[in-house]
Amino acid sequence: MAEIIQKDGTWTFDGDAVRIVPGRDKGVGLLRQQLGEVLVPLRAIAGISYEPGRKSGRLRLRLRDGADPLLQVTGGRLPESSDPYRLTVEADRAGVAEYFVDEVRNALLLDGVDPGPSDAYLLPGPAVPITVGAGDGTAAFDGDRVVLEWNWTTEDAKSSGGPREFRVGDLRTVEWAPSKGLENGWLRFTLTGAPSAPAPKYDPCAVELFGFKKDPLMALVAAAVAVRMPHPAAPAPAAEAPAALPLADAAPALAGEPADHDTLLRRLRELGELHRSGVLTAEEFSAAKAAILGGF
């Protein structure tokens, strides 16, 4: 067991998972506060490091690409204060931080955890139901339905259609982007089969973000939706092998049916191809072959 307690939060490692509880310090961002406790299984961790500093250091947990829906939708664009996998460590607790790092690294080595990308989400994402108001609207998600409602800052072209509602199964993508410079950010949902969307300012399936304090909270909505959608790196479902043809179709009954030798040979070749491709088992091939040879 390893544990480090700071104003910024508390991290605990029991050998199987890192439990992260945000602190109540003024530097703890709203996203971390609302996200609350996070349990990171060992198999979701790619690495951990401690970065010492003159006044304080940083403990950083690096997750495997694709393991966490929040990191998947934010793509490294969260501000430092909103990053749940960073802990500010006071200088006099550097030794504890280094011990914590050693414990996690040793466990990763002993368990042989693959640090490479994951093709499935290994964390459950934010709890639902969740409702966030920011920018020009409010987004609510109950685990199945997304509801977008508008406020006084919304463009008439978007708000005139009233609130928007759609189900997770109707979505093709969900994306979150922070504001940058003079460019506003957004939380955008793209429906399956929908044409190219207009700018977030006019898109009835998007909330435009203006760069205010609550903007990162919209990333929680995006993550809660994303974890219930197909993982972007999930392997495509294997194509089903064609069903084996009944023997009656593979080798039609020949009794009473005239058939020349060319036809019979053609049927033998077709049977051989079906057997080589795996459509017919060895037993089925032998039985069908015997039936055809009986026609010679």
CSV table of all heavy atoms in Angstrom, one decimal, residues 90-153:
chain,number,residue,atom,x,y,z
A,90,GLU,N,4.0,19.0,-2.4
A,90,GLU,CA,4.9,19.9,-1.7
A,90,GLU,C,6.3,19.4,-1.7
A,90,GLU,O,6.6,18.2,-1.6
A,90,GLU,CB,4.3,20.1,-0.3
A,90,GLU,CG,3.0,20.8,-0.3
A,90,GLU,CD,2.3,20.7,1.1
A,90,GLU,OE1,3.0,20.3,2.1
A,90,GLU,OE2,1.1,21.0,1.2
A,91,ALA,N,7.3,20.3,-1.6
A,91,ALA,CA,8.7,19.9,-1.8
A,91,ALA,C,9.1,18.9,-0.7
A,91,ALA,O,9.9,18.0,-0.9
A,91,ALA,CB,9.6,21.2,-1.7
A,92,ASP,N,8.6,19.1,0.5
A,92,ASP,CA,9.0,18.2,1.6
A,92,ASP,C,8.4,16.8,1.6
A,92,ASP,O,8.7,15.9,2.4
A,92,ASP,CB,8.7,18.8,3.0
A,92,ASP,CG,7.3,19.1,3.2
A,92,ASP,OD1,6.5,18.9,2.3
A,92,ASP,OD2,6.9,19.4,4.4
A,93,ARG,N,7.5,16.6,0.6
A,93,ARG,CA,6.9,15.3,0.4
A,93,ARG,C,7.4,14.6,-0.9
A,93,ARG,O,6.9,13.6,-1.3
A,93,ARG,CB,5.4,15.4,0.3
A,93,ARG,CG,4.8,16.1,1.5
A,93,ARG,CD,5.0,15.4,2.8
A,93,ARG,NE,4.3,14.2,2.9
A,93,ARG,CZ,4.5,13.3,3.8
A,93,ARG,NH1,5.4,13.4,4.7
A,93,ARG,NH2,3.7,12.2,3.9
A,94,ALA,N,8.6,15.1,-1.4
A,94,ALA,CA,9.1,14.5,-2.6
A,94,ALA,C,9.5,13.0,-2.4
A,94,ALA,O,9.3,12.2,-3.3
A,94,ALA,CB,10.4,15.3,-3.0
A,95,GLY,N,10.0,12.7,-1.2
A,95,GLY,CA,10.4,11.3,-1.0
A,95,GLY,C,9.2,10.4,-1.0
A,95,GLY,O,9.3,9.2,-1.5
A,96,VAL,N,8.1,10.8,-0.5
A,96,VAL,CA,6.8,10.0,-0.5
A,96,VAL,C,6.4,9.8,-2.0
A,96,VAL,O,6.0,8.7,-2.4
A,96,VAL,CB,5.7,10.7,0.3
A,96,VAL,CG1,4.4,9.9,0.2
A,96,VAL,CG2,6.2,10.8,1.7
A,97,ALA,N,6.5,10.9,-2.8
A,97,ALA,CA,6.1,10.8,-4.2
A,97,ALA,C,6.9,9.8,-4.9
A,97,ALA,O,6.4,9.0,-5.8
A,97,ALA,CB,6.1,12.2,-4.8
A,98,GLU,N,8.2,9.8,-4.7
A,98,GLU,CA,9.1,8.9,-5.4
A,98,GLU,C,8.9,7.5,-5.0
A,98,GLU,O,9.0,6.6,-5.8
A,98,GLU,CB,10.6,9.3,-5.1
A,98,GLU,CG,11.0,10.6,-5.8
A,98,GLU,CD,12.3,11.2,-5.3
A,98,GLU,OE1,12.9,10.6,-4.3
A,98,GLU,OE2,12.9,12.1,-5.9
A,99,TYR,N,8.6,7.3,-3.7
A,99,TYR,CA,8.2,5.9,-3.3
A,99,TYR,C,6.9,5.4,-3.9
A,99,TYR,O,6.8,4.3,-4.4
A,99,TYR,CB,8.0,5.9,-1.7
A,99,TYR,CG,7.4,4.6,-1.2
A,99,TYR,CD1,8.2,3.5,-1.1
A,99,TYR,CD2,6.1,4.5,-0.8
A,99,TYR,CE1,7.7,2.3,-0.6
A,99,TYR,CE2,5.6,3.4,-0.3
A,99,TYR,CZ,6.4,2.2,-0.2
A,99,TYR,OH,5.8,1.1,0.2
A,100,PHE,N,5.9,6.3,-4.1
A,100,PHE,CA,4.7,6.0,-4.8
A,100,PHE,C,5.0,5.6,-6.2
A,100,PHE,O,4.4,4.6,-6.7
A,100,PHE,CB,3.8,7.2,-4.7
A,100,PHE,CG,2.3,6.9,-5.1
A,100,PHE,CD1,1.4,6.7,-4.1
A,100,PHE,CD2,1.9,6.9,-6.4
A,100,PHE,CE1,0.1,6.4,-4.4
A,100,PHE,CE2,0.6,6.6,-6.8
A,100,PHE,CZ,-0.3,6.4,-5.8
A,101,VAL,N,5.8,6.4,-6.9
A,101,VAL,CA,6.2,6.0,-8.3
A,101,VAL,C,6.8,4.7,-8.3
A,101,VAL,O,6.5,3.8,-9.2
A,101,VAL,CB,7.1,7.1,-8.8
A,101,VAL,CG1,7.8,6.6,-10.1
A,101,VAL,CG2,6.4,8.4,-9.0
A,102,ASP,N,7.7,4.4,-7.4
A,102,ASP,CA,8.4,3.0,-7.4
A,102,ASP,C,7.4,1.9,-7.3
A,102,ASP,O,7.5,0.9,-7.9
A,102,ASP,CB,9.5,3.0,-6.4
A,102,ASP,CG,10.7,3.9,-6.7
A,102,ASP,OD1,10.9,4.2,-7.9
A,102,ASP,OD2,11.5,4.2,-5.7
A,103,GLU,N,6.5,2.1,-6.4
A,103,GLU,CA,5.5,1.0,-6.1
A,103,GLU,C,4.6,0.7,-7.3
A,103,GLU,O,4.4,-0.4,-7.7
A,103,GLU,CB,4.6,1.4,-4.9
A,103,GLU,CG,5.3,1.4,-3.6
A,103,GLU,CD,5.6,0.0,-3.2
A,103,GLU,OE1,4.7,-0.8,-2.9
A,103,GLU,OE2,6.8,-0.3,-3.1
A,104,VAL,N,4.2,1.8,-8.0
A,104,VAL,CA,3.3,1.6,-9.2
A,104,VAL,C,4.2,1.0,-10.3
A,104,VAL,O,3.7,0.1,-11.0
A,104,VAL,CB,2.7,2.9,-9.6
A,104,VAL,CG1,1.9,2.8,-10.9
A,104,VAL,CG2,1.8,3.5,-8.6
A,105,ARG,N,5.4,1.5,-10.5
A,105,ARG,CA,6.2,0.9,-11.6
A,105,ARG,C,6.5,-0.5,-11.4
A,105,ARG,O,6.5,-1.3,-12.3
A,105,ARG,CB,7.5,1.8,-11.7
A,105,ARG,CG,7.3,3.1,-12.3
A,105,ARG,CD,8.6,3.9,-12.4
A,105,ARG,NE,8.5,5.2,-13.1
A,105,ARG,CZ,9.4,6.1,-13.1
A,105,ARG,NH1,10.6,5.9,-12.5
A,105,ARG,NH2,9.2,7.2,-13.8
A,106,ASN,N,6.8,-0.9,-10.1
A,106,ASN,CA,7.1,-2.3,-9.8
A,106,ASN,C,5.9,-3.2,-10.1
A,106,ASN,O,6.1,-4.3,-10.7
A,106,ASN,CB,7.5,-2.5,-8.4
A,106,ASN,CG,8.9,-1.9,-8.1
A,106,ASN,OD1,9.7,-1.7,-9.0
A,106,ASN,ND2,9.2,-1.5,-6.8
A,107,ALA,N,4.7,-2.7,-9.8
A,107,ALA,CA,3.5,-3.5,-10.0
A,107,ALA,C,3.3,-3.6,-11.5
A,107,ALA,O,2.9,-4.7,-12.0
A,107,ALA,CB,2.3,-2.8,-9.4
A,108,LEU,N,3.6,-2.6,-12.3
A,108,LEU,CA,3.4,-2.6,-13.7
A,108,LEU,C,4.3,-3.7,-14.3
A,108,LEU,O,4.0,-4.4,-15.2
A,108,LEU,CB,3.7,-1.3,-14.4
A,108,LEU,CG,2.6,-0.2,-14.1
A,108,LEU,CD1,3.1,1.2,-14.6
A,108,LEU,CD2,1.3,-0.5,-14.8
A,109,LEU,N,5.6,-3.7,-13.8
A,109,LEU,CA,6.5,-4.7,-14.3
A,109,LEU,C,6.1,-6.1,-14.0
A,109,LEU,O,6.2,-7.1,-14.8
A,109,LEU,CB,7.9,-4.4,-13.8
A,109,LEU,CG,8.6,-3.2,-14.4
A,109,LEU,CD1,9.9,-2.9,-13.6
A,109,LEU,CD2,8.9,-3.4,-15.8
A,110,LEU,N,5.7,-6.3,-12.7
A,110,LEU,CA,5.4,-7.7,-12.2
A,110,LEU,C,4.2,-8.2,-13.0
A,110,LEU,O,4.1,-9.4,-13.3
A,110,LEU,CB,5.1,-7.6,-10.7
A,110,LEU,CG,6.3,-7.5,-9.8
A,110,LEU,CD1,5.9,-7.3,-8.4
A,110,LEU,CD2,7.3,-8.7,-10.0
A,111,ASP,N,3.2,-7.3,-13.2
A,111,ASP,CA,2.0,-7.8,-13.9
A,111,ASP,C,2.1,-7.8,-15.5
A,111,ASP,O,1.2,-8.2,-16.2
A,111,ASP,CB,0.8,-6.8,-13.6
A,111,ASP,CG,0.2,-7.2,-12.2
A,111,ASP,OD1,1.0,-7.5,-11.3
A,111,ASP,OD2,-1.0,-7.1,-12.0
A,112,GLY,N,3.3,-7.2,-15.9
A,112,GLY,CA,3.5,-7.2,-17.4
A,112,GLY,C,2.4,-6.4,-18.1
A,112,GLY,O,2.0,-6.9,-19.2
A,113,VAL,N,2.0,-5.3,-17.6
A,113,VAL,CA,1.0,-4.5,-18.2
A,113,VAL,C,1.5,-3.9,-19.5
A,113,VAL,O,2.6,-3.3,-19.6
A,113,VAL,CB,0.6,-3.3,-17.3
A,113,VAL,CG1,-0.4,-2.4,-18.0
A,113,VAL,CG2,-0.1,-3.9,-16.0
A,114,ASP,N,0.7,-4.1,-20.6
A,114,ASP,CA,1.1,-3.5,-21.9
A,114,ASP,C,0.8,-2.0,-21.9
A,114,ASP,O,-0.3,-1.6,-21.7
A,114,ASP,CB,0.2,-4.2,-22.9
A,114,ASP,CG,0.5,-3.7,-24.4
A,114,ASP,OD1,1.4,-2.9,-24.5
A,114,ASP,OD2,-0.3,-4.1,-25.3
A,115,PRO,N,1.8,-1.2,-22.1
A,115,PRO,CA,1.6,0.3,-22.1
A,115,PRO,C,1.1,0.8,-23.4
A,115,PRO,O,0.8,2.0,-23.5
A,115,PRO,CB,3.1,0.8,-21.8
A,115,PRO,CG,3.9,-0.2,-22.5
A,115,PRO,CD,3.3,-1.5,-22.3
A,116,GLY,N,0.9,0.0,-24.3
A,116,GLY,CA,0.4,0.4,-25.6
A,116,GLY,C,-1.1,0.8,-25.6
A,116,GLY,O,-1.8,0.7,-24.6
A,117,PRO,N,-1.6,1.2,-26.8
A,117,PRO,CA,-3.0,1.7,-26.9
A,117,PRO,C,-4.0,0.6,-26.5
A,117,PRO,O,-3.7,-0.6,-26.7
A,117,PRO,CB,-3.1,2.1,-28.3
A,117,PRO,CG,-1.7,2.3,-28.8
A,117,PRO,CD,-0.9,1.4,-28.0
A,118,SER,N,-5.1,1.0,-26.0
A,118,SER,CA,-6.2,0.1,-25.6
A,118,SER,C,-7.3,0.2,-26.7
A,118,SER,O,-7.6,1.3,-27.1
A,118,SER,CB,-6.7,0.4,-24.2
A,118,SER,OG,-7.9,-0.4,-24.0
A,119,ASP,N,-7.9,-0.9,-27.0
A,119,ASP,CA,-9.0,-0.9,-28.0
A,119,ASP,C,-10.4,-1.0,-27.3
A,119,ASP,O,-11.4,-1.2,-27.9
A,119,ASP,CB,-8.9,-2.0,-29.1
A,119,ASP,CG,-8.9,-3.3,-28.5
A,119,ASP,OD1,-9.1,-3.5,-27.2
A,119,ASP,OD2,-8.6,-4.3,-29.2
A,120,ALA,N,-10.3,-0.7,-26.0
A,120,ALA,CA,-11.6,-0.7,-25.2
A,120,ALA,C,-11.4,0.3,-24.0
A,120,ALA,O,-10.3,0.4,-23.5
A,120,ALA,CB,-11.9,-2.1,-24.7
A,121,TYR,N,-12.5,0.9,-23.6
A,121,TYR,CA,-12.4,1.8,-22.4
A,121,TYR,C,-12.2,1.0,-21.2
A,121,TYR,O,-13.0,0.0,-20.9
A,121,TYR,CB,-13.6,2.7,-22.3
A,121,TYR,CG,-13.8,3.7,-23.4
A,121,TYR,CD1,-14.9,3.7,-24.3
A,121,TYR,CD2,-12.7,4.6,-23.6
A,121,TYR,CE1,-15.0,4.6,-25.3
A,121,TYR,CE2,-12.8,5.6,-24.7
A,121,TYR,CZ,-14.0,5.6,-25.5
A,121,TYR,OH,-14.1,6.5,-26.5
A,122,LEU,N,-11.2,1.3,-20.3
A,122,LEU,CA,-11.0,0.6,-19.1
A,122,LEU,C,-11.4,1.4,-17.9
A,122,LEU,O,-11.3,0.9,-16.8
A,122,LEU,CB,-9.5,0.3,-19.0
A,122,LEU,CG,-8.9,-0.4,-20.2
A,122,LEU,CD1,-7.4,-0.7,-20.0
A,122,LEU,CD2,-9.6,-1.8,-20.4
A,123,LEU,N,-11.9,2.6,-18.1
A,123,LEU,CA,-12.5,3.4,-17.0
A,123,LEU,C,-14.0,3.6,-17.3
A,123,LEU,O,-14.3,3.8,-18.5
A,123,LEU,CB,-11.8,4.7,-16.8
A,123,LEU,CG,-10.5,4.6,-15.9
A,123,LEU,CD1,-9.3,4.1,-16.7
A,123,LEU,CD2,-10.1,6.0,-15.4
A,124,PRO,N,-14.8,3.8,-16.3
A,124,PRO,CA,-16.3,3.9,-16.6
A,124,PRO,C,-16.7,5.3,-17.0
A,124,PRO,O,-17.9,5.4,-17.5
A,124,PRO,CB,-16.9,3.5,-15.3
A,124,PRO,CG,-15.9,3.9,-14.2
A,124,PRO,CD,-14.5,3.7,-14.9
A,125,GLY,N,-15.9,6.3,-16.9
A,125,GLY,CA,-16.3,7.6,-17.3
A,125,GLY,C,-17.1,8.3,-16.2
A,125,GLY,O,-17.4,7.7,-15.2
A,126,PRO,N,-17.5,9.6,-16.4
A,126,PRO,CA,-18.2,10.3,-15.4
A,126,PRO,C,-19.6,9.7,-15.1
A,126,PRO,O,-20.2,9.0,-15.9
A,126,PRO,CB,-18.4,11.7,-16.0
A,126,PRO,CG,-17.3,11.8,-17.1
A,126,PRO,CD,-17.1,10.4,-17.6
A,127,ALA,N,-20.0,9.9,-13.8
A,127,ALA,CA,-21.3,9.3,-13.4
A,127,ALA,C,-22.4,10.0,-14.1
A,127,ALA,O,-22.3,11.2,-14.4
A,127,ALA,CB,-21.4,9.4,-11.9
A,128,VAL,N,-23.5,9.3,-14.3
A,128,VAL,CA,-24.7,9.9,-14.9
A,128,VAL,C,-25.9,9.7,-13.9
A,128,VAL,O,-25.8,8.8,-13.1
A,128,VAL,CB,-25.1,9.3,-16.3
A,128,VAL,CG1,-24.0,9.6,-17.3
A,128,VAL,CG2,-25.2,7.8,-16.2
A,129,PRO,N,-26.9,10.5,-13.9
A,129,PRO,CA,-27.1,11.6,-14.9
A,129,PRO,C,-26.2,12.8,-14.6
A,129,PRO,O,-25.7,13.0,-13.5
A,129,PRO,CB,-28.6,12.0,-14.7
A,129,PRO,CG,-28.9,11.6,-13.2
A,129,PRO,CD,-28.0,10.4,-13.0
A,130,ILE,N,-25.9,13.6,-15.7
A,130,ILE,CA,-25.1,14.7,-15.6
A,130,ILE,C,-25.7,15.9,-16.3
A,130,ILE,O,-26.2,15.7,-17.4
A,130,ILE,CB,-23.6,14.4,-16.1
A,130,ILE,CG1,-22.7,15.6,-15.9
A,130,ILE,CG2,-23.7,13.9,-17.5
A,130,ILE,CD1,-21.3,15.3,-16.2
A,131,THR,N,-25.6,17.1,-15.8
A,131,THR,CA,-26.1,18.3,-16.4
A,131,THR,C,-25.1,19.4,-16.3
A,131,THR,O,-24.6,19.6,-15.1
A,131,THR,CB,-27.5,18.7,-15.8
A,131,THR,OG1,-28.4,17.7,-16.0
A,131,THR,CG2,-28.0,20.0,-16.5
A,132,VAL,N,-24.8,20.0,-17.4
A,132,VAL,CA,-23.8,21.1,-17.3
A,132,VAL,C,-24.3,22.3,-18.2
A,132,VAL,O,-24.8,22.1,-19.3
A,132,VAL,CB,-22.4,20.7,-17.9
A,132,VAL,CG1,-21.5,21.9,-18.0
A,132,VAL,CG2,-21.8,19.6,-17.1
A,133,GLY,N,-24.3,23.5,-17.6
A,133,GLY,CA,-24.6,24.7,-18.3
A,133,GLY,C,-23.4,25.5,-18.5
A,133,GLY,O,-22.7,25.9,-17.6
A,134,ALA,N,-23.1,25.8,-19.8
A,134,ALA,CA,-21.9,26.7,-20.1
A,134,ALA,C,-22.1,27.2,-21.5
A,134,ALA,O,-22.9,26.6,-22.3
A,134,ALA,CB,-20.6,25.9,-20.0
A,135,GLY,N,-21.4,28.3,-21.9
A,135,GLY,CA,-21.5,28.8,-23.2
A,135,GLY,C,-23.0,29.2,-23.5
A,135,GLY,O,-23.7,29.9,-22.8
A,136,ASP,N,-23.5,28.8,-24.7
A,136,ASP,CA,-24.8,29.2,-25.1
A,136,ASP,C,-25.9,28.2,-24.8
A,136,ASP,O,-27.0,28.2,-25.4
A,136,ASP,CB,-24.8,29.6,-26.6
A,136,ASP,CG,-24.6,28.4,-27.5
A,136,ASP,OD1,-24.3,27.3,-27.0
A,136,ASP,OD2,-24.8,28.5,-28.8
A,137,GLY,N,-25.6,27.2,-24.0
A,137,GLY,CA,-26.6,26.2,-23.7
A,137,GLY,C,-26.3,25.3,-22.5
A,137,GLY,O,-25.3,25.5,-21.8
A,138,THR,N,-27.2,24.4,-22.3
A,138,THR,CA,-27.1,23.4,-21.2
A,138,THR,C,-27.2,22.0,-21.8
A,138,THR,O,-28.1,21.8,-22.6
A,138,THR,CB,-28.2,23.6,-20.2
A,138,THR,OG1,-28.1,24.9,-19.5
A,138,THR,CG2,-28.2,22.5,-19.1
A,139,ALA,N,-26.3,21.1,-21.4
A,139,ALA,CA,-26.3,19.8,-21.9
A,139,ALA,C,-26.6,18.8,-20.8
A,139,ALA,O,-26.0,18.9,-19.7
A,139,ALA,CB,-25.0,19.4,-22.6
A,140,ALA,N,-27.6,17.9,-21.0
A,140,ALA,CA,-28.0,16.9,-20.0
A,140,ALA,C,-27.9,15.6,-20.6
A,140,ALA,O,-28.3,15.4,-21.7
A,140,ALA,CB,-29.4,17.2,-19.4
A,141,PHE,N,-27.4,14.6,-19.8
A,141,PHE,CA,-27.3,13.2,-20.3
A,141,PHE,C,-27.7,12.3,-19.2
A,141,PHE,O,-27.2,12.4,-18.0
A,141,PHE,CB,-25.9,12.9,-20.8
A,141,PHE,CG,-25.7,11.6,-21.3
A,141,PHE,CD1,-26.5,11.0,-22.3
A,141,PHE,CD2,-24.7,10.7,-20.8
A,141,PHE,CE1,-26.3,9.8,-22.8
A,141,PHE,CE2,-24.5,9.5,-21.2
A,141,PHE,CZ,-25.3,9.0,-22.3
A,142,ASP,N,-28.6,11.3,-19.5
A,142,ASP,CA,-29.1,10.4,-18.4
A,142,ASP,C,-28.6,9.0,-18.6
A,142,ASP,O,-29.0,8.0,-17.9
A,142,ASP,CB,-30.6,10.4,-18.4
A,142,ASP,CG,-31.2,9.9,-19.7
A,142,ASP,OD1,-30.5,9.5,-20.6
A,142,ASP,OD2,-32.5,9.9,-19.8
A,143,GLY,N,-27.6,8.8,-19.5
A,143,GLY,CA,-27.1,7.5,-19.8
A,143,GLY,C,-27.6,6.9,-21.1
A,143,GLY,O,-27.1,5.9,-21.6
A,144,ASP,N,-28.7,7.6,-21.6
A,144,ASP,CA,-29.3,7.1,-22.9
A,144,ASP,C,-29.6,8.3,-23.8
A,144,ASP,O,-29.3,8.3,-25.0
A,144,ASP,CB,-30.5,6.3,-22.6
A,144,ASP,CG,-31.2,5.8,-23.9
A,144,ASP,OD1,-30.5,5.3,-24.8
A,144,ASP,OD2,-32.4,6.0,-24.0
A,145,ARG,N,-30.2,9.3,-23.2
A,145,ARG,CA,-30.7,10.5,-24.0
A,145,ARG,C,-29.8,11.7,-23.7
A,145,ARG,O,-29.5,12.0,-22.6
A,145,ARG,CB,-32.1,10.8,-23.7
A,145,ARG,CG,-33.1,9.7,-24.2
A,145,ARG,CD,-34.5,10.0,-23.8
A,145,ARG,NE,-34.6,10.3,-22.3
A,145,ARG,CZ,-35.0,11.4,-21.8
A,145,ARG,NH1,-35.2,12.5,-22.6
A,145,ARG,NH2,-35.0,11.6,-20.5
A,146,VAL,N,-29.5,12.5,-24.8
A,146,VAL,CA,-28.9,13.8,-24.7
A,146,VAL,C,-29.9,14.8,-24.9
A,146,VAL,O,-30.7,14.7,-25.9
A,146,VAL,CB,-27.7,13.9,-25.7
A,146,VAL,CG1,-27.1,15.3,-25.6
A,146,VAL,CG2,-26.7,12.8,-25.4
A,147,VAL,N,-30.0,15.8,-24.1
A,147,VAL,CA,-30.9,17.0,-24.3
A,147,VAL,C,-30.1,18.3,-24.2
A,147,VAL,O,-29.3,18.5,-23.3
A,147,VAL,CB,-32.0,17.0,-23.2
A,147,VAL,CG1,-32.9,18.2,-23.4
A,147,VAL,CG2,-32.8,15.7,-23.1
A,148,LEU,N,-30.2,19.1,-25.3
A,148,LEU,CA,-29.6,20.4,-25.3
A,148,LEU,C,-30.6,21.5,-25.3
A,148,LEU,O,-31.6,21.4,-26.0
A,148,LEU,CB,-28.8,20.5,-26.7
A,148,LEU,CG,-27.7,19.5,-27.0
A,148,LEU,CD1,-27.1,19.7,-28.3
A,148,LEU,CD2,-26.7,19.4,-25.8
A,149,GLU,N,-30.4,22.4,-24.3
A,149,GLU,CA,-31.4,23.5,-24.2
A,149,GLU,C,-30.6,24.8,-24.3
A,149,GLU,O,-29.4,24.9,-24.0
A,149,GLU,CB,-32.1,23.5,-22.8
A,149,GLU,CG,-33.0,22.2,-22.7
A,149,GLU,CD,-33.8,22.2,-21.4
A,149,GLU,OE1,-33.2,22.8,-20.4
A,149,GLU,OE2,-34.9,21.7,-21.4
A,150,TRP,N,-31.2,25.9,-24.7
A,150,TRP,CA,-30.5,27.1,-25.1
A,150,TRP,C,-30.8,28.2,-24.1
A,150,TRP,O,-31.8,28.2,-23.3
A,150,TRP,CB,-30.9,27.5,-26.5
A,150,TRP,CG,-30.9,26.4,-27.4
A,150,TRP,CD1,-32.0,25.8,-28.1
A,150,TRP,CD2,-29.8,25.6,-27.8
A,150,TRP,NE1,-31.6,24.7,-28.8
A,150,TRP,CE2,-30.3,24.6,-28.7
A,150,TRP,CE3,-28.4,25.6,-27.5
A,150,TRP,CZ2,-29.4,23.6,-29.2
A,150,TRP,CZ3,-27.6,24.7,-28.0
A,150,TRP,CH2,-28.1,23.7,-28.9
A,151,ASN,N,-29.9,29.3,-24.1
A,151,ASN,CA,-30.1,30.4,-23.2
A,151,ASN,C,-30.1,31.7,-24.0
A,151,ASN,O,-30.2,31.7,-25.2
A,151,ASN,CB,-29.0,30.4,-22.1
A,151,ASN,CG,-27.6,30.5,-22.7
A,151,ASN,OD1,-27.3,31.1,-23.8
A,151,ASN,ND2,-26.6,29.8,-22.1
A,152,TRP,N,-30.0,32.8,-23.3
A,152,TRP,CA,-30.2,34.1,-24.0
A,152,TRP,C,-29.1,34.5,-24.9
A,152,TRP,O,-29.2,35.3,-25.8
A,152,TRP,CB,-30.4,35.2,-22.9
A,152,TRP,CG,-29.1,35.4,-22.1
A,152,TRP,CD1,-28.8,34.8,-21.0
A,152,TRP,CD2,-28.1,36.4,-22.4
A,152,TRP,NE1,-27.6,35.3,-20.5
A,152,TRP,CE2,-27.1,36.3,-21.3
A,152,TRP,CE3,-27.9,37.3,-23.4
A,152,TRP,CZ2,-26.0,37.0,-21.3
A,152,TRP,CZ3,-26.7,38.1,-23.3
A,152,TRP,CH2,-25.8,37.9,-22.3
A,153,THR,N,-27.9,33.8,-24.8
A,153,THR,CA,-26.8,34.1,-25.7
A,153,THR,C,-26.9,33.3,-27.0
A,153,THR,O,-26.1,33.5,-27.9
A,153,THR,CB,-25.5,33.8,-25.0
A,153,THR,OG1,-25.4,32.4,-24.8
A,153,THR,CG2,-25.3,34.5,-23.7
